Amino acid sequence: MNKIGIHYGSFVSNWMDEQLPLIKKVKDLGFDMFELGSDYLLSLDDSGLKRLKDEASSNRLDLTISLGLTLDQDIASNDSGIRQNGIELMSTIAKAMNKAGISDCSGIVFCAWNGKISNLKEKEDGWENSVISMREVVKSF
């Protein structure tokens, strides 16, 4: 059976609003999964990540993370420094996800959220850069 989830944006007006108390509410509304923001996840220390994991577990709710890479974090970029920014961010998120018991990340993770490709060569290079970058990121899991 497919799980039914909801995004944290349905409940907050500020992306950095506290999301931990929403877990029980989401479960009480009948959802199986709750999609949290990656920035919120990164704002938590280890004890906060444990509280998040424990709250989700006690409510039998799966958590997932939502992510959109910025232009300066684009892992498909031809600029190695920009790619490294994205690799480092995604690796940090992966480590926090592990601590919080989160196994899924959704969103635009293969390139910049607001990026654009202007020609076929750029698309081919971007694809190759993204694959190479993702190979680095997955080492964090």
Side-chain angles (χ1 to χ4, degrees):
M1 174 183 272
N2 289 334
K3 294 182 179 185
I4 304 296
I6 192 165
H7 189 271
Y8 70 104
S10 300
F11 303 98
V12 300
S13 57
N14 177 332
W15 297 128
M16 290 304 292
D17 283 350
E18 180 63 45
Q19 295 169 35
L20 181 70
L22 297 173
I23 291 174
K24 181 169 178 9
K25 180 177 186 170
V26 165
K27 185 60 177 185
D28 289 346
L29 289 170
F31 291 99
D32 307 301
M33 184 176 286
F34 186 39
E35 186 173 351
L36 302 166
S38 58
D39 289 341
Y40 171 73
L41 185 74
L42 292 178
S43 75
L44 301 174
D45 60 13
D46 284 353
S47 65
L49 293 169
K50 183 177 181 338
R51 282 193 306 276
L52 190 66
K53 180 179 183 177
D54 292 346
E55 183 72 8
S57 178
S58 69
N59 282 283
R60 294 179 311 225
L61 188 73
D62 290 339
L63 300 177
T64 185
I65 291 299
S66 179
L67 171 64
L69 297 173
T70 63
L71 288 172
D72 65 334
Q73 302 162 335
D74 185 355
I75 65 169
S77 172
N78 283 325
D79 183 310
S80 62
I82 290 174
R83 283 195 314 275
Q84 190 59 39
N85 291 340
I87 291 167
E88 289 173 9
L89 172 69
M90 292 175 70
S91 296
T92 301
I93 290 170
K95 291 171 186 167
M97 287 172 61
N98 284 334
K99 291 176 182 178
I102 301 169
S103 60
D104 297 311
C105 180
S106 64
I108 309 298
V109 297
F110 57 89
C111 67
W113 170 257
N114 50 356
K116 62 182 178 182
I117 297 172
S118 57
N119 60 56
L120 185 57
K121 173 72 171 129
E122 194 175 329
K123 182 177 182 179
E124 290 170 352
D125 290 347
W127 179 263
E128 181 67 23
N129 291 336
S130 184
V131 169
I132 291 167
S133 298
M134 281 296 201
R135 286 182 178 140
E136 286 302 309
V137 172
V138 298
K139 293 176 183 177
S140 301
F141 282 94

